[in-house]
Amino acid sequence: MKGAMATGTLTIDLDAVAANWRALDHLSAPDVQTAAVVKADAYGLGAARVVRALAQAGARRFFVAVAEEGAMVRQALGPGPQIAVMAGHMAGDTEMIHDLDLTPMLNSIDQITRHLEALPGHPFGVQLDTGMNRLGLEEAEWQAVAAILLEAGPELVMSHLACADDPDSPMNEEQLTIFRQMTDGIGVPRSLAATGGILLGPDYHFDLTRPGVGLYGGQPFEAASRVVTLSLPVIQTRTVALGETVGYAASWVADGPATIATVSGGYADGLLRTLSNASVLWDGNTPCPLVGRVSMDLITVDVSHLPDMPRYLDIIGPHQTVDDLAQAAGTIGYEVLTSLGRRYVRRYIEGGA
Ligand SMILES: *Cc1c(COP(=O)(O)O)cnc(C)c1O
């Protein structure tokens, strides 16, 4: 850890990402392909590095949300691996889809028309809506165009589960039934499961799975290896007396003499304001409460009980996962990951070093 730096250090273990991909791959049968969802800059961890590590681990198919992300991933991977765009074929994306060999997942009759007219013969997939009501063709639309689409030879037909993180939700089986009704016998590779769907078991796996958050060590993949460590430098320490307050709105009041560390990192770095007075940072194995409000660039931490003043404190690490932090903030691990700030120095561990 370089003590002179005033920005936090985000350490991303690419070996753990690769291990998580392999572990998720092993949860489905050998003839089921495991793709990798790398949208939103690989959930905030840096798509260029992450996709190369995943390709090295054996991933051959990558999913992004929008074509611009696909362009970035193509640049990192070079020709070969398939890059699927879940937003489909938007007006204005044609050239990028063509030139960078992206595979749009077509979501609507408009997109189908656009794609087949603008880029006949160019690979595509189809997204079906099975109840989430977000993206994809509805049952009646699918019935109307399925013959034409199947004639054009889609690479994949996919849908997405709304409640896969809850194995007890009856919606999982409902969507599975609808997906089967819509696609049984079409003779095209199918995909329904993201991370949660993989954990629901083989009925949900079809030909291809699309894990995202599990690759990055997040719930609901309990068995995941930890990927992220976030260490924040201590800028200054001070003592406060009984009755003194700390931070904006004076929301924390010392109930005795205390030592407060001011740490670099705030809501502009993705440390959500709801963590105010509601989380801990760690000095090795020792928890230290976050006191007062999270401000834009700084947080304040009670370190009164530490024998020595630390140079940095961990807010994500061995004792506090991304999901633990999300729970303290009242959100989900996905939001914590994708909010990780641009100011952090991103340090990658690869090949065990
Ligand atoms: C984000 C997303 C995924 C990946 O989901 P995780 O829960 O992160 O595994 C897969 N498919 C679609 C359509 C998505 O939007």
Side-chain angles (χ1 to χ4, degrees):
M1 195 63 42
K2 291 174 202 124
M5 273 190 318
T7 56
T9 301
L10 185 67
T11 303
I12 296 149
D13 186 342
L14 295 173
D15 295 339
V17 174
N20 289 334
W21 183 83
R22 282 191 289 266
L24 288 162
D25 187 42
H26 285 144
L27 290 178
S28 59
D31 60 339
V32 177
Q33 206 176 8
T34 303
V37 178
V38 295
K39 61 193 180 187
D41 200 26
Y43 290 47
L45 300 184
R49 296 295 302 262
V50 166
V51 297
R52 277 188 235 124
L54 286 167
Q56 201 149 22
R60 288 292 166 268
R61 294 173 79 155
F62 297 84
F63 284 78
V64 293
V66 296
E68 284 76 5
E69 293 176 340
M72 240 270 285
V73 170
R74 177 62 73 209
Q75 197 165 18
L77 288 176
Q82 188 189 71
I83 300 169
V85 179
M86 293 189 286
H89 190 146
M90 295 291 283
D93 285 352
T94 301
E95 203 173 300
M96 199 158 24
I97 288 169
H98 173 265
D99 293 354
L100 298 171
D101 188 19
L102 308 179
T103 305
M105 299 290 120
L106 307 178
N107 290 300
S108 65
I109 304 286
D110 271 1
Q111 290 196 348
I112 291 164
T113 310
R114 178 178 299 129
H115 186 77
L116 296 181
E117 283 180 358
L119 297 175
H122 185 94
F124 68 96
V126 182
Q127 185 154 204
L128 303 178
D129 187 80
T130 53
M132 191 163 173
N133 285 310
R134 191 179 67 166
L135 277 181
L137 299 175
E138 301 203 355
E139 205 155 354
E141 294 175 309
W142 170 238
Q143 263 153 26
V145 298
I148 301 165
L149 274 176
L150 294 173
E151 179 70 28
E155 308 263 305
L156 187 74
V157 173
M158 64 176 275
S159 188
H160 194 47
L161 298 167
C163 302
D165 59 339
D166 174 11
D168 297 326
S169 169
M171 192 149 176
N172 296 321
E173 224 166 303
E174 286 166 28
Q175 286 192 265
L176 176 63
T177 302
I178 294 170
F179 189 58
R180 283 219 182 101
Q181 282 166 356
M182 289 170 84
T183 61
D184 272 352
I186 61 172
V188 172
R190 295 184 287 179
S191 176
L192 181 62
T195 304
I198 295 172
L199 302 169
L200 293 176
D203 285 354
Y204 290 82
H205 296 169
F206 293 91
D207 302 293
L208 176 115
T209 61
R210 312 183 307 269
V213 76
L215 304 174
Y216 312 111
Q219 296 287 1
F221 187 31
E222 301 268 355
S225 301
R226 188 169 59 86
V227 171
V228 177
T229 305
L230 178 54
S231 295
L232 304 176
V234 175
I235 296 180
Q236 174 173 36
T237 56
R238 75 184 64 248
T239 54
V240 297
L242 166 74
E244 283 196 86
T245 64
V246 171
Y248 281 122
S251 71
W252 186 82
V253 186
D255 60 6
T259 308
I260 302 298
T262 302
V263 170
S264 180
Y267 60 76
D269 304 294
L271 302 175
L272 303 177
R273 230 169 129 269
T274 46
L275 292 169
S276 299
N277 287 307
S279 186
V280 294
L281 284 78
W282 293 80
D283 174 35
N285 298 320
T286 309
C288 307
L290 192 166
V291 298
R293 290 263 174 99
V294 173
S295 55
M296 188 183 293
D297 315 302
L298 299 165
I299 53 181
T300 34
V301 181
D302 185 351
V303 294
S304 309
H305 52 302
L306 298 183
D308 301 301
M309 282 310 103
R311 286 175 33 231
Y312 63 93
L313 295 166
D314 290 341
I315 192 158
I316 299 171
H319 299 294
Q320 183 157 273
T321 65
V322 166
D323 289 284
D324 294 334
L325 194 63
Q327 194 170 14
T331 183
I332 54 174
Y334 298 75
E335 190 178 16
V336 168
L337 282 173
T338 56
S339 302
L340 290 167
R342 315 310 318 170
R343 287 194 286 203
Y344 300 138
V345 173
R346 279 162 171 73
R347 204 182 124 244
Y348 292 92
I349 296 176
E350 196 165 24

